[in-house]
Amino acid sequence: MDIPDAAALRRAFVNSSRSKMASMSLPSPWPLPHAEDLDFLGWVDPKAPRRAYLVIGPDTVDELTSIELRVPSATASRKRQTMCDLCQTTEAPDGSLLMVAPRAGSRGRSGDAVGLYMCTDFACSLRARVPLKPHQRSLTGMPDTRVPALVERVTAFVDRVKA
């Protein structure tokens, strides 16, 4: 994925206010390492740990799209080895959490939201590219479709937020 600059990233948010985006903190280091292997960017705001962000680039969807996510409080939910809805693994070191995104527009302002269990480190793209172990390979000889399936699932989530 091509890493956008901070200004383009802030302009691309579809479900957040300009004031929240002005206070958004980018992860350090920026740009993120391994960006060429990412289908989307994701991080928890270092200054506001109840906010996270997901960014999908124009190489995957029509245009650069950024989404604000709400992270559950530490008291409301602890990190678990729950399956991530995007990469469909339980291999994230800190588990998965239910991340909730307010819908874009008036529906989001009235409280409508969509959610998915996501890896807390947002490294789904990297996990989908790890070669399968011999016992995980399909006996039918079918190609590994984890990366295209991941892209399809993240795109469907973004479409649900924008709808």
Side-chain angles (χ1 to χ4, degrees), residues 24-130:
M24 174 185 74
S25 298
L26 295 173
S28 181
W30 186 261
L32 297 173
H34 309 293
E36 65 278 355
D37 294 331
L38 299 178
D39 301 300
F40 66 91
L41 302 175
W43 70 95
V44 175
D45 193 318
K47 294 182 181 176
R50 298 272 325 269
R51 276 195 291 187
Y53 310 102
L54 185 135
V55 179
I56 189 165
D59 47 341
T60 306
V61 292
D62 295 337
E63 60 186 350
L64 179 67
T65 305
S66 303
I67 295 175
E68 178 187 359
L69 301 166
R70 287 179 270 175
V71 179
S73 68
T75 58
S77 175
R78 61 178 172 69
K79 296 173 186 169
R80 302 178 205 159
Q81 289 305 114
T82 307
M83 181 179 289
C84 172
D85 288 326
L86 295 179
C87 64
Q88 296 192 335
T89 69
T90 58
E91 298 173 7
D94 290 332
S96 300
L97 287 175
L98 179 63
M99 306 275 187
V100 178
R103 288 192 187 255
S106 61
R107 292 177 74 183
R109 287 188 293 276
S110 67
D112 195 5
V114 294
L116 284 178
Y117 280 92
M118 294 184 198
C119 294
T120 55
D121 62 359
F122 293 96
C124 299
S125 295
L126 300 177
R127 279 187 199 88
R129 286 170 170 76
V130 171

